[in-house]
Amino acid sequence: VRIFASYHYEQVAMARNTTHIPVMAGLAGLHAFIKEKIGVEVGTLGDDFLSGSLGGRIRENVVRFRSIMEATQALKDDRVSAVMGTRSELEAGLGTLPANILIAPFHVTGIPVNGWNLGLATKAENTVLAATLERTVADLVQDGTIGRIFAKYGAKHVPPRAAGGEHQEL
């Protein structure tokens, strides 16, 4: 597989109600979820991480939803105090943020990947298609189309981060 045409940087983030959880500082901040509920999309990195965090002490307060959209609705309805997911999904699910809701990247030891570039992939030998798609994506980023698509869904487009080479073969 050839991975190419990075167009966006995604990361693990947490949206939280600052009335219930005023401060969230890494792993120590997770102690808030011994008492407060946190929403996740079932079967995701956030679900796996939180279910085992603090020796499983917060497992009972991890509320699983079928989607981040459902989880963010629960946050808006004050049924959970926070939601962990990808930043762009949280932004899209929450829309215009009320003053008491904050979205911030969640960086903590124990999460195997905190952020990654999104891009395209083809079979490694399909170089002509890859080159065509790469030019097309570059044009869409350059002319602002990608940014407008993200904005249409309430998310902020973040340019990809350089990572020792654009192309990767798996």
Side-chain angles (χ1 to χ4, degrees), residues 102-120:
L102 175 72
I103 298 174
F106 188 77
H107 300 288
V108 66
T109 302
I111 291 186
V113 177
N114 286 307
W116 56 93
N117 288 338
L118 299 181
L120 306 178

Side-chain angles (χ1 to χ4, degrees), residues 17 79-80 92 112 117 147 164:
N17 182 322
R79 291 182 283 135
V80 296
N117 288 338

Side-chain angles (χ1 to χ4, degrees), residues 7-77:
Y7 62 88
H8 177 72
Y9 183 74
E10 189 59 84
Q11 59 193 144
V12 176
M14 185 179 293
R16 65 183 163 82
N17 182 322
T18 57
T19 304
H20 299 293
I21 305 169
V23 177
M24 176 57 59
L27 197 55
L30 292 178
H31 282 88
F33 302 112
I34 292 172
K35 294 181 181 177
E36 299 289 339
K37 299 223 180 269
I38 182 167
V40 294
E41 181 175 357
V42 69
T44 60
L45 175 68
D47 184 5
D48 291 342
F49 174 75
L50 291 170
S51 294
S53 291
L54 302 179
R57 292 190 333 218
I58 64 174
R59 183 176 299 130
E60 297 303 315
N61 282 334
V62 177
V63 182
R64 291 159 186 85
F65 295 91
R66 289 182 296 169
S67 69
I68 288 293
M69 295 301 277
E70 288 181 10
T72 54
Q73 187 60 53
L75 179 60
K76 289 191 259 186
D77 296 342

